[in-house]
């Protein structure tokens, strides 16, 4: 079930095991719909997209309902978008039975749903193609963002975790390189140009290491704490009576439930916010699970499950990637929780952090900021395309909008 996300059209294998018995059995490109609360209400519907080199049947949770087009009658792609139709999902929710908190949809009950399915398979395919084209572009942007973020993470790791520029400078100056970085030194000893840093940037880094409680660190980069280097705002939950899903007030995030790849999805709003995260602040989940990271797309209200963080220099990108590399330390609080994992403000502030010279942070920010701007531009386009898809889907499925008119809208959007 974890592999199925409401924001993604496809789900692939999470592991390989011998199939013995039990579980939902499905074929490539079948639609998997969660049938249990709250997964169904949260829109966990996706198609099984096998990884490269994998074919044949797969199996998964017993809490999936498997939906497949009927040969000669229903196109399989069209069947997927039919299940994404809000009227279908609301019908499924209305059929749930069982005790509160463990309600499920009986698969047979979905047979009672009446839908205006086009008799022509070619028209079904045309509808699926229009919606699929939008999803393809959204998926392409998502992959581009993953690549861009990986580039920025690699840069941060090279500079602030592996200390590559310091290793290269130490080699050039004939200074000793600690054993911890021996492999990095061997990598750069004969080919220092592999670091690909301009000479004036490289000169900003020290050429010697010093000992510290955490091991060797660049000379002049002292150990510090999150509290000393970053501004930290712990969330506080407003009264529940001020929450709504109608868009009234400020976007509100109680915890990591709405976190996405980079930005959280808008779902809940609050009319009386108590703790605020500013646009581009890094958001950190501080209650189970601890340590999930997102960035505030806009000014928002944060509840007790979220903290907002920003480096005291105001650097957006440095903050975001610094928090990404604290994940392992956040996990300790997840494991040590007596009831469930959490980290309080005092514990968060006391986490160790490097005090990096301001010039180095500025140089990093100048390199990473444009990458993050590209990610945001792609995100903006994804939101626009998703809005168009969600507008077209019910109109195409219900027959309110004809294919040629939708194709014109698609052409204008792409």
């Amino acid at each position: 079930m974890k592999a199925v996300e409401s924001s993604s059209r496809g789900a692939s294998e999470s592991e390989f095991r011998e199939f013995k018995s039990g579980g939902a059995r499905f074929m490539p490109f079948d639609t998997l719909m969660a049938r249990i609360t709250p997964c169904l209400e949260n829109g966990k519907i996706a198609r099984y997209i096998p990884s490269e080199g994998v074919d044949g049947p797969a199996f998964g949770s017993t809490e999936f309902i498997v939906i497949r087009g009927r040969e000669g009658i229903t196109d399989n792609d069209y069947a997927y978008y039919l299940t994404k139709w809000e009227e279908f999902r609301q019908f499924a929710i209305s059929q749930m039975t069982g005790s509160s908190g463990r309600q499920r949809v009986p698969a047979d009950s979905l047979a009672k749903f009446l839908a205006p399915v086009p008799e022509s398979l070619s028209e079904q395919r045309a509808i699926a193609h229009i919606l699929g084209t939008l999803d393809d572009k959204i998926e392409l942007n998502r992959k581009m963002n993953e690549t861009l973020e990986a580039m920025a993470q690699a840069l941060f790791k090279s500079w602030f975790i592996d200390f590559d520029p310091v290793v290269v400078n130490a080699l050039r100056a004939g200074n000793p390189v600690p054993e911890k970085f021996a492999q990095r030194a061997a990598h750069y000893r004969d080919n220092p140009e592999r670091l690909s840093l301009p000479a004036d940037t490289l000169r900003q880094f020290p050429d010697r290491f010093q000992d510290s409680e955490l091991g060797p660190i660049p000379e002049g980069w002292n150990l510090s704490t999150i509290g000393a280097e970053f501004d930290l705002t712990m969330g506080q939950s407003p009264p529940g009576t001020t929450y709504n899903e109608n868009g009234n007030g400020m976007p509100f995030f109680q915890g990591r439930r709405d976190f996405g790849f980079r930005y959280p999805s808008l779902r809940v709003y609050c009319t009386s916010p108590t703790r605020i995260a500013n646009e581009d602040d890094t958001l950190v989940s501080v209650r189970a699970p601890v340590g999930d990271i997102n960035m505030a797309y806009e000014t928002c209200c944060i509840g007790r499950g979220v903290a907002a963080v920003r480096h005291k220099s105001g650097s957006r990108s440095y903050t975001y990637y610094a928090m990404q590399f604290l994940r392992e330390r956040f996990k300790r609080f997840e494991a040590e929780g007596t009831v469930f994992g959490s980290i309080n403000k005092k514990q968060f502030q006391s986490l160790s952090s490097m005090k990096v010279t301001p010039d180095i942070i500025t140089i990093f920010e100048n390199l990473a900021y444009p990458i993050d701007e590209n990610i945001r531009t792609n995100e903006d386009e994804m939101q626009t395309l998703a809005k168009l898809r969600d507008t077209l889907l019910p109109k195409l499925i219900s027959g309110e909008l004809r294919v040629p008119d939708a194709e014109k809208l698609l052409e204008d959007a792409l």
Side-chain angles (χ1 to χ4, degrees):
M1 186 63 71
K2 187 178 180 181
V4 176
E5 293 290 343
S6 59
S7 60
S8 180
R9 181 176 46 168
S12 299
E13 313 83 19
S14 54
E15 61 178 307
F16 291 88
R17 278 192 282 159
E18 181 182 356
F19 180 73
K20 294 182 178 177
S21 63
R25 183 185 173 95
F26 40 86
M27 298 297 292
F29 308 107
D30 281 352
T31 295
L32 309 178
M33 186 180 83
R35 66 179 191 133
I36 189 171
T37 191
C39 297
L40 175 58
E41 292 91 330
N42 292 340
K44 278 184 170 280
I45 300 173
R47 304 186 69 187
Y48 167 51
I49 309 294
S51 301
E52 187 174 352
V54 176
D55 56 14
F59 73 99
S61 169
T62 57
E63 305 297 356
F64 286 137
I65 292 177
V66 180
I67 299 169
R68 183 183 307 153
R70 185 169 295 175
E71 187 173 358
I73 298 177
T74 323
D75 178 71
N76 212 24
D77 294 339
Y78 178 85
Y80 164 72
Y81 285 108
L82 180 61
T83 64
K84 295 289 286 185
W85 189 19
E86 185 63 14
E87 286 199 27
F88 177 79
R89 195 163 65 90
Q90 289 303 323
F91 175 82
I93 292 171
S94 72
Q95 301 299 305
M96 297 181 93
T97 61
S99 58
S100 178
R102 301 298 294 173
Q103 292 184 308
R104 294 178 174 82
V105 181
D108 293 346
S109 68
L110 299 182
K112 294 182 290 185
F113 181 74
L114 297 177
V117 179
E119 290 187 6
S120 165
L121 278 173
S122 62
E123 185 174 353
Q124 293 178 30
R125 290 172 184 142
I127 291 173
H129 175 72
I130 291 168
L131 299 171
T133 300
L134 291 167
D135 272 333
D136 287 344
K137 177 58 178 167
I138 291 170
E139 184 63 24
L140 177 62
N141 280 20
R142 181 178 293 116
K143 289 181 178 177
M144 288 171 60
N145 279 353
E146 290 174 356
T147 300
L148 289 167
E149 179 160 317
M151 289 168 53
Q153 282 188 354
L155 181 66
F156 186 95
K157 183 174 183 291
S158 173
W159 286 24
F160 304 113
I161 305 297
D162 297 330
F163 305 132
D164 287 339
V166 184
V167 170
V168 169
N169 281 346
L171 289 171
R172 288 179 172 176
N175 293 326
V177 175
E179 180 63 26
K180 180 179 180 180
F181 304 113
Q183 286 190 341
R184 313 298 298 180
H187 177 71
Y188 290 118
R189 180 168 285 110
D190 298 326
N191 300 285
E193 68 278 3
R194 287 179 180 172
L195 190 58
S196 301
L197 276 184
D200 56 342
T201 298
L202 197 56
R203 279 196 295 271
Q204 302 299 320
F205 288 84
D207 62 3
R208 188 182 299 273
F209 285 90
Q210 63 186 5
D211 292 331
S212 77
E213 294 177 6
L214 297 180
I217 61 174
E219 190 174 66
W221 292 15
N222 299 319
L223 286 186
S224 185
T225 62
I226 292 293
E229 303 302 315
F230 296 83
D231 291 323
L232 176 64
T233 302
M234 301 297 285
Q236 183 182 67
S237 300
T241 54
T242 67
Y243 305 167
N244 69 86
E245 297 187 12
N246 303 321
N248 295 326
M250 185 176 289
F252 171 58
F253 304 105
Q254 179 75 286
R256 51 86 57 206
R257 174 178 169 180
D258 298 308
F259 278 18
F261 166 71
R262 167 66 70 106
Y263 300 103
S265 301
L266 298 179
R267 184 178 56 87
V268 179
Y269 293 79
C270 173
T271 55
S272 297
T274 50
R275 294 287 169 83
I276 304 297
N278 294 314
E279 177 181 334
D280 291 336
D281 277 354
T282 295
L283 305 178
V284 180
S285 169
V286 294
R287 294 172 67 86
V290 177
D292 283 355
I293 312 292
N294 255 208
M295 184 180 287
Y297 184 82
E298 58 190 311
T299 300
C300 58
C301 173
I302 51 175
R304 64 176 181 168
V306 177
V309 190
R310 183 71 76 106
H311 190 263
K312 290 186 180 299
S313 66
S315 303
R316 172 187 72 173
S317 298
Y318 179 81
T319 304
Y320 180 75
Y321 296 107
M323 291 300 112
Q324 291 279 5
F325 282 91
L326 282 177
R327 282 176 181 272
E328 289 303 314
R329 274 182 272 175
F330 287 136
K331 283 183 180 178
R332 298 175 193 168
F333 295 89
E334 183 69 25
E336 292 171 358
T338 54
V339 180
F340 53 82
S342 65
I343 179 171
N344 60 37
K345 185 173 185 177
K346 185 176 180 181
Q347 292 168 326
F348 202 150
Q349 288 179 317
S350 67
L351 291 175
S352 58
S353 175
M354 195 79 65
K355 184 176 180 61
V356 180
T357 55
D359 289 347
I360 298 293
I361 292 179
T362 298
I363 295 171
F364 175 82
E365 195 72 10
N366 289 340
L367 293 174
Y369 193 92
I371 296 175
D372 285 333
E373 280 298 281
N374 284 334
I375 291 175
R376 184 171 178 107
T377 299
N378 288 337
E379 175 68 23
D380 290 343
E381 186 177 49
M382 289 163 64
Q383 291 187 16
T384 299
L385 295 174
K387 187 175 181 180
L388 176 60
R389 178 202 58 200
D390 295 343
T391 299
L392 293 181
L393 192 151
K395 293 183 176 182
L396 284 167
I397 296 293
S398 67
E400 179 184 341
L401 184 67
R402 308 306 301 175
V403 167
D405 296 327
E407 288 175 336
K408 180 66 171 59
L409 292 171
L410 181 66
E411 183 180 335
D412 293 342
L414 297 179

